[in-house]
Amino acid sequence: MASIRKIWTFDDPGSYGARMIVAGLVRGLQSAGCEVFVTPLRRETPQATIELRQGLEEADPDALFFVNQPSAVYLGDMGYSPGEVASLDIPRLIWILDDPFIMGKEPFGEHDIVVAADPAFLPNIKERGARHAVYLPVAADSLELGQYRNAFASPVAYVGSVKDMSDWRAQLAPDLAAYFDSIVERRLLDPHRTFPELLEDNLLQETKRVTYTGSLAYYLYVLTNNLWRICMLEPLVPLGLKIYGNAEWGKILPEDSALRGVLHPPIDPAHDLPDLAVSATVNINLRSQQGFASPTQRDFIFPGFGGFLLSSKRHAAKDVQESVKDWWDGLESPVAASPQALYDAVAYWLDHPSKRREWIESRRETIKRKHTYHHRAVDLLKILETAASS
């Protein structure tokens, strides 16, 4: 098969973090010699999906690039019939950036070449019929340093959103809602235990089991991550914490939470995050309680912008962490496993500016050497061409 040099994708302004990854890979592919066509998704117009189809067909690409869903989902939304989807005989790169278990059951097609940003995604990807599935982490788009801004200056900062699940909870019987709350509490006490294990070992009733579905997984993980962020961040308020997040923080926080006094409006990730990263002395990275093992976007972009990053501990299984250890070489940030440990770590790093600078410089060198989107684009093109010719 001829090498792939023309790739089509689309830009979704509502995809937030994923949008930054898509934009980074587009630039990486361009630096690797590809011509990349990007059609904007204008959700406010009634012809939005038709415009995407027109953009794809005008580009006449060698391959397509999507994130998080099988290509048939996107192409169907764009007006392609199942027959047209099947007859579009070009490879479709699908980069899975979040847990596929919570994102539906649609099968991957024969032309889908699936790349998982975390190895934990691979079993579910394969269960959904993927013929080609490999692991490859995200990367850094740019090593351009952010600029100090007084508006973002603080000893410690956290950038992140939460989700209010009260509407979901209202649909549950009170005893079921309380039961799920207890499962979440048990998970926080022992993050290495999976929700299926906890549901099996702590039955709703003596002879009644709850079926673990994608929607239930989403509900439980959101509740767990919400509570995890609150309990980890509250002790940092006396150290000068600022939180930049969505309005739903105000809905989930207890009325007496000290975090209410440190909430700030969300920032524009593309334009503000580089400056915030260098303006805050310590940036907090609270890893998902879903037990992922791979380096994430924050592990690359915060030191890439010139910011210091302090993370919570990863809770992936040991064998999975072993499988990704080479990717962590030179990237690890200082970690804390509990609220008190995080408080102590922040206090320590605030008092050691030279060590912070040393950490930032070392990570930037590692990223420059092997973790930019140019590096990922070269790898992805090899994956695409190998899978498409097999």
Side-chain angles (χ1 to χ4, degrees):
M1 177 179 173
S3 62
I4 292 170
R5 283 295 174 260
K6 292 171 62 179
I7 298 175
W8 178 89
T9 189
F10 69 93
D11 173 45
D12 180 2
S15 62
Y16 302 108
R19 189 186 192 195
M20 293 182 67
I21 294 171
V22 171
L25 184 57
V26 166
R27 285 186 277 269
L29 289 165
Q30 290 169 335
S31 72
C34 290
E35 187 176 8
V36 186
F37 302 86
V38 183
T39 302
L41 174 59
R42 302 191 301 159
R43 292 185 182 275
E44 70 281 2
T45 67
Q47 305 297 313
T49 54
I50 295 175
E51 291 174 354
L52 292 188
R53 177 166 181 162
Q54 291 173 340
L56 188 161
E57 293 175 352
E58 289 171 3
D60 188 25
D62 303 320
L64 309 178
F65 168 45
F66 301 111
V67 297
N68 286 341
Q69 294 289 354
S71 62
V73 173
Y74 291 104
L75 294 170
D77 289 343
M78 292 158 58
Y80 285 84
S81 69
E84 288 176 315
V85 171
S87 64
L88 189 60
D89 190 20
I90 57 174
R92 303 113 187 232
L93 172 66
I94 316 293
W95 206 350
I96 303 297
L97 306 174
D98 207 343
D99 187 351
F101 184 66
I102 65 176
M103 293 190 293
K105 298 181 179 180
E106 294 83 358
F108 293 99
E110 64 173 314
H111 297 297
D112 289 343
I113 298 164
V114 188
V115 178
D118 192 280
F121 304 160
L122 289 171
N124 189 259
I125 289 170
K126 292 175 181 177
E127 285 180 8
R128 290 169 63 178
R131 294 175 58 230
H132 308 279
V134 298
Y135 158 62
L136 191 71
V138 295
D141 182 19
S142 169
L143 289 175
E144 183 176 350
L145 294 170
Q147 301 298 312
Y148 181 88
R149 286 161 60 178
N150 284 331
F152 291 145
S154 66
V156 55
Y158 176 72
V159 180
S161 61
V162 293
K163 185 170 179 60
D164 176 25
M165 301 300 288
S166 57
D167 287 345
W168 289 52
R169 185 184 180 89
Q171 300 176 45
L172 302 173
D175 63 330
L176 190 57
Y179 169 68
F180 290 147
D181 288 345
S182 72
I183 296 298
V184 167
E185 290 170 4
R186 292 174 187 273
R187 176 59 183 264
L188 285 173
L189 289 173
D190 189 356
H192 290 287
R193 302 210 64 198
T194 67
F195 281 125
E197 291 172 344
L198 291 169
L199 292 167
E200 179 64 25
D201 293 346
N202 303 274
L203 299 181
L204 174 61
Q205 297 175 8
E206 186 173 343
T207 60
K208 188 173 183 179
R209 288 173 169 79
V210 173
T211 301
Y212 189 62
T213 63
S215 58
L216 176 57
Y218 179 72
Y219 178 75
L220 293 175
Y221 278 123
V222 170
L223 289 184
T224 303
N225 284 318
N226 284 351
L227 291 176
W228 173 242
R229 290 166 188 171
I230 293 171
C231 73
M232 289 293 278
L233 292 173
E234 278 189 330
L236 304 184
V237 173
L239 296 178
L241 173 69
K242 289 184 179 181
I243 296 176
Y244 299 87
N246 58 346
E248 295 189 48
W249 275 98
K251 297 179 181 179
I252 72 158
L253 286 175
E255 288 299 323
D256 60 351
S257 174
L259 295 179
R260 289 188 173 274
V262 300
L263 297 178
H264 294 264
I267 62 168
D268 182 325
H271 297 101
D272 295 332
L273 194 57
D275 295 349
L276 189 150
V278 299
S279 301
T281 305
V282 174
N283 294 280
I284 300 298
N285 176 24
L286 297 181
R287 302 194 185 280
S288 169
Q289 290 291 291
Q290 284 156 280
F292 303 149
S294 180
T296 65
Q297 190 177 22
R298 291 181 192 236
D299 293 298
F300 297 112
I301 64 175
F302 272 86
F305 294 144
F308 178 79
L309 193 65
L310 176 60
S311 301
S312 61
K313 186 178 179 181
R314 300 193 303 278
H315 296 298
K318 289 183 179 179
D319 60 332
V320 179
Q321 295 209 48
E322 182 69 18
S323 72
V324 303
K325 68 177 184 179
D326 289 346
W327 290 102
W328 282 104
D329 183 34
L331 276 179
E332 287 274 20
S333 56
V335 298
S338 68
Q340 183 61 52
L342 185 62
Y343 176 93
D344 293 343
V346 171
Y348 172 84
W349 286 101
L350 287 175
D351 287 339
H352 290 82
S354 62
K355 289 187 176 182
R356 293 197 310 269
R357 288 193 295 271
E358 180 182 343
W359 181 90
I360 293 168
E361 291 167 4
S362 172
R363 270 61 187 175
R364 281 174 56 82
E365 179 58 34
T366 297
I367 292 167
K368 180 180 179 181
R369 184 162 37 91
K370 58 182 180 180
H371 293 302
T372 68
Y373 277 110
H374 175 82
H375 295 100
R376 296 297 184 268
V378 170
D379 288 339
L380 287 169
L381 287 171
K382 291 177 182 177
I383 292 168
L384 267 174
E385 293 172 2
T386 300
S389 61
S390 64

